[in-house]
């Protein structure tokens, strides 16, 4: 496995720790090597020490084992490489000379404008064997045209069945559990449609700000960073029809149909159905924090959004008229990813409720930080009362399955690349369709000089995000 961007944040914080976990759980077998390529001038020992320090920070205490790291690190190699310079690839030819006939995975953890030159240089160096695979990190490009141009360039060197477009949310246990819940049970299927569901809310909230990624983030913004990929993929898993099998093509065909059924936004729709926000100073994690414009290297007049809320609709028989509210932001009150399915009210309420409201049933699928599924419904408390109370059935995965649950998503996906299973990766037509859907939003925002609304760091975004739902007679579920 070869990591371009091999000394970067993603590789050292997430990917190497994930491979360490796979190794610790005896999931990496046979021979192989992990080659990290980067611009820094590390010696082999310096790199291994650096990778160790990083891994220690990001692997929780109980999971760390010096001996396991020592045996894992024997696989690690580091070389300095400017990926744009073809002559540098000789070093890789030497490293891979023994394994060219085997599965070689090229993981491009770099900005996407480097994907084409890297593939071209790999091809020139004769490194793309029949068993080569390439993993592409998101976001691919910055709009539909640039994404297509990159896709076209990569496809000159790799076939679609060799290309793994990674979206780490699909590797999360809880997302796969959503497929199990929907398609491994008959219970929910009859209810999983417009007749019974009033709205769906999908939230990925982060407590952190943009950290040290200002260069990337100010160019990208939350729509490209989170909505075009993670949120739309989650929406696909909620909304897709049952696939005929778990084969990659069957799953991806169904996801594509959802993306194709998303109602396109006109300019007016963008104003009516989207909200963009940018955090101003506030309190986060009990500490005062600066606003987005005070972050290092962010231009004082930046209009980049750090928060997005969107009302999406799906034009098909199952979902027509059911709003899917999508929301993501930095500097929210807590780190939380969840899908909430709100069921309709009973047609004719006959019970009084203790809080004076009729409560509708809802299914909460919490993806992180905890992983649980809770089904809320009404029950009668003991005593001479018919005032109902809302209660829930709770499936907490950590309590139920007392075995280690891989965190983050990368472990599963790295193993899937090695095994050649593409079901949890994004196909080019999905990628394209997702860009096509977000593009009118990007364009309308770019042409609108008013910029994002501000929100105080540590809150749930601008008030317009609440208004987006209240216009429809709904509210975000934490506001209920
Ligand atoms: C990444 C985004 O794809 O996902 C980051 O680029 C974001 O901005 C991250 O912080 C969130 O992932 P997770 O798994 O920590 O929720």
């Amino acid at each position: 496995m070869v990591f371009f961007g091999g000394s970067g944040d993603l590789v050292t914080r997430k990917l190497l720790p994930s491979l360490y976990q796979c190794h610790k759980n005896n999931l990496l077998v046979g021979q192989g090597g992990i080659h990290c390529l980067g611009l820094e001038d590390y010696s082999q020992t310096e790199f291994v020490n650096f990778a160790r320090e990083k891994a220690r920070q990001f692997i929780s205490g109980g999971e760390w084992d010096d001996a396991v790291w020592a045996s894992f690190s024997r696989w690690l190699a580091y070389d300095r490489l400017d990926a744009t310079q073809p002559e540098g690839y000789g070093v890789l030819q030497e490293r891979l000379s023994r394994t060219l006939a085997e599965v070689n995975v090229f993981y491009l953890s770099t900005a996407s404008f480097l994907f084409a030159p890297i593939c071209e240089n790999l091809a020139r160096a004769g490194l793309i064997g029949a068993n080569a695979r390439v993993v592409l990190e998101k976001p691919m490009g910055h709009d539909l045209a640039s994404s297509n141009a990159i896709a076209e360039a990569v496809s000159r060197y790799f076939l679609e069945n060799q290309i793994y477009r990674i979206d780490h949310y699909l590797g999360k246990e809880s997302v796969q559990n959503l497929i199990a819940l929907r398609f491994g049970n008959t219970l929910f299927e009859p209810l999983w449609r417009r007749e019974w569901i009033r709205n769906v809310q999908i939230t990925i909230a982060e407590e952190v700000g943009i950290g040290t990624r200002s260069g990337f983030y100010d160019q990208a913004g939350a729509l490209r960073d989170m909505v075009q990929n993670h949120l739309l993929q989650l929406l696909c898993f909620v909304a897709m029809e049952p696939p005929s099998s778990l084969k990659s093509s069957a799953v991806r065909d169904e996801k594509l149909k959802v993306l194709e059924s998303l109602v396109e936004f006109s300019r007016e729709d963008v104003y009516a159905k989207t909200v963009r926000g940018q955090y101003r100073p506030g309190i986060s994690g009990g500490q005062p924090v600066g606003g987005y414009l005070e972050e290092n290297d962010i231009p004082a007049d930046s209009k980049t959004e750090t928060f997005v809320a969107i009302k999406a609709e799906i034009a098909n028989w199952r979902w027509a008229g059911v709003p899917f509210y999508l929301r993501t932001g930095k500097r929210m009150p807590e780190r939380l990813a969840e899908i909430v399915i709100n069921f309709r009210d009973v047609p004719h309420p006959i019970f009084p409720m203790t809080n004076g409201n009729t409560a509708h049933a809802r299914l909460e699928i919490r993806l992180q930080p905890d992983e649980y599924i809770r089904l809320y419904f009404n029950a009668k408390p003991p005593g001479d009362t018919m005032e109902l109370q809302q209660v829930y059935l709770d499936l907490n995965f950590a309590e139920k399955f007392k075995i280690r649950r891989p965190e983050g998503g990368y472990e599963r996906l790295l193993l899937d690349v090695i095994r050649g299973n593409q079901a949890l990766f994004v196909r080019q037509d999905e990628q394209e369709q997702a860009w096509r859907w977000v593009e009118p939003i990007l364009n309308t925002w770019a042409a609108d000089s008013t910029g994002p609304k501000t929100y105080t760091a540590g809150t749930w975004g601008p008030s317009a995000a609440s208004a987006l739902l209240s216009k429809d007679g709904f509210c975000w579920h934490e506001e209920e």
Side-chain angles (χ1 to χ4, degrees):
M1 184 165 284
V2 180
F3 288 115
F4 287 84
S7 49
D9 220 41
L10 183 69
V11 173
T12 52
R13 276 179 42 204
K14 303 265 183 179
L15 302 176
L16 293 181
S18 299
L19 286 174
Y20 161 92
Q21 295 285 14
C22 295
H23 171 63
K24 185 162 185 266
N25 292 290
N26 297 320
L27 294 167
L28 297 182
V29 291
Q31 299 194 338
I34 301 168
H35 305 292
C36 296
L37 303 167
L39 281 173
E40 281 76 13
D41 249 328
Y42 290 117
S43 70
Q44 179 68 16
T45 319
E46 281 167 347
F47 180 74
V48 173
N49 289 341
F50 166 68
R52 184 179 193 277
E53 281 322 298
K54 279 283 197 160
R56 276 202 78 143
Q57 282 170 36
F58 293 99
I59 294 171
S60 60
E63 307 265 3
W64 180 261
D65 184 324
D66 281 327
V68 174
W69 175 266
S71 62
F72 171 72
S73 67
R74 275 197 281 269
W75 277 333
L76 285 181
Y78 179 82
D79 287 301
R80 186 181 181 285
L81 176 79
D82 177 346
T84 60
Q85 301 301 314
E87 54 278 11
Y89 284 65
V91 66
L92 206 51
Q93 282 172 322
E94 275 168 45
R95 295 259 188 220
L96 298 185
S97 58
R98 272 187 310 110
T99 56
L100 262 190
E102 319 276 328
V103 171
N104 282 316
V105 176
F106 299 105
Y107 195 124
L108 312 194
S109 172
T110 65
S112 59
F113 70 85
L114 287 171
F115 293 175
I118 292 176
C119 292
E120 188 184 337
N121 289 335
L122 285 171
R124 265 199 213 165
L127 289 168
I128 306 184
N131 287 324
R133 291 171 196 162
V134 66
V135 184
L136 306 178
E137 263 294 337
K138 53 137 287 254
M140 275 260 279
H142 56 273
D143 57 12
L144 179 62
S146 56
S147 167
N148 282 351
I150 294 167
E152 199 273 320
V154 172
S155 71
R156 277 183 235 147
Y157 309 102
F158 291 93
L159 300 171
E160 181 64 28
N161 66 9
Q162 296 177 294
I163 304 175
Y164 291 71
R165 292 175 199 84
I166 202 161
D167 181 318
H168 74 281
Y169 265 73
L170 304 194
K172 291 184 191 277
E173 280 288 324
S174 40
V175 175
Q176 291 148 50
N177 248 308
L178 176 58
I179 312 179
L181 178 88
R182 288 199 57 203
F183 308 129
N185 298 288
T186 51
L187 190 62
F188 293 102
E189 171 52 24
L191 304 178
W192 211 260
R193 58 190 64 248
R194 61 192 301 281
E195 287 80 359
W196 301 108
I197 293 178
R198 62 207 310 239
N199 68 58
V200 176
Q201 303 182 8
I202 308 180
T203 300
I204 304 179
E206 295 184 272
E207 197 179 359
V208 293
I210 57 158
T212 54
R213 296 162 80 218
S214 46
F216 159 76
Y217 198 88
D218 200 53
Q219 295 299 313
L223 189 67
R224 292 185 181 89
D225 189 37
M226 301 295 286
V227 179
Q228 189 271 342
N229 30 72
H230 305 322
L231 277 165
L232 285 185
Q233 285 292 324
L234 293 182
L235 174 141
C236 284
F237 279 105
V238 175
M240 71 198 261
E241 294 300 316
S244 56
S245 74
L246 286 180
K247 277 200 193 131
S248 315
S249 55
V251 173
R252 303 199 294 181
D253 286 350
E254 295 305 336
K255 285 197 290 156
L256 178 64
K257 283 187 212 158
V258 175
L259 292 168
E260 286 174 340
S261 310
L262 280 170
V263 178
E264 272 173 44
F265 280 4
S266 65
R267 196 172 155 277
E268 290 67 38
D269 289 333
V270 175
Y271 285 107
K273 297 179 186 173
T274 73
V275 176
R276 57 176 164 153
Q278 190 186 73
Y279 59 86
R280 54 173 183 257
I283 304 286
S284 176
Q287 300 293 324
V289 292
Y292 180 71
L293 297 179
E294 284 118 39
E295 300 280 8
N296 285 338
D297 303 325
I298 296 297
D301 58 352
S302 171
K303 293 197 165 33
T304 299
E305 77 287 354
T306 59
F307 172 93
V308 179
I310 298 182
K311 174 185 174 182
E313 283 160 293
I314 300 171
N316 64 19
W317 273 48
R318 189 186 284 267
W319 294 117
V322 179
F324 280 69
Y325 299 107
L326 312 178
R327 172 173 65 159
T328 185
K330 303 272 185 201
R331 289 280 185 233
M332 306 266 94
E334 57 185 310
R335 174 171 183 254
L336 167 155
E338 69 178 8
I339 298 167
V340 178
I341 314 283
N342 285 309
F343 292 94
R344 291 192 184 281
D345 285 325
V346 294
H348 170 59
I350 56 172
F351 296 101
M353 294 291 293
T354 38
N355 59 9
N357 298 315
T358 54
H360 54 266
R362 75 172 187 273
L363 184 69
E364 246 180 64
I365 303 168
R366 179 66 64 95
L367 312 179
Q368 62 188 32
D370 333 329
E371 291 174 33
Y372 61 72
I373 294 179
R374 279 187 191 158
L375 180 62
Y376 287 78
F377 56 96
N378 300 316
K380 188 190 105 53
D384 63 344
T385 172
M386 284 311 275
E387 288 193 351
L388 304 191
Q389 269 181 22
Q390 196 157 56
V391 293
Y392 59 82
L393 292 175
D394 190 10
L395 167 60
N396 181 307
F397 290 99
E399 281 168 21
K400 180 71 205 164
F401 301 101
K402 295 193 178 2
I403 48 174
R404 174 178 177 269
R405 299 177 62 72
E407 271 173 38
Y410 281 106
E411 286 175 46
R412 166 69 192 262
L413 295 177
L414 285 165
L415 290 170
D416 277 357
V417 178
I418 297 169
R419 293 170 182 147
N421 180 0
Q422 290 187 305
L424 295 176
F425 293 82
V426 180
R427 204 166 57 190
Q428 174 54 23
D429 45 11
E430 292 177 68
Q431 172 86 282
E432 206 172 315
Q433 194 56 35
W435 274 119
R436 192 165 290 127
W437 189 72
V438 297
E439 194 143 87
I441 309 177
L442 286 171
N443 292 343
T444 307
W445 285 356
D448 175 3
S449 57
T450 53
K453 298 189 162 44
T454 59
Y455 61 99
T456 306
T459 65
W460 285 106
S463 55
S466 299
L468 181 70
L469 276 70
S470 59
K471 280 191 285 197
D472 297 338
F474 302 134
C475 58
W476 292 103
H477 102 96
E478 78 277 354
E479 296 170 338
E480 283 189 35

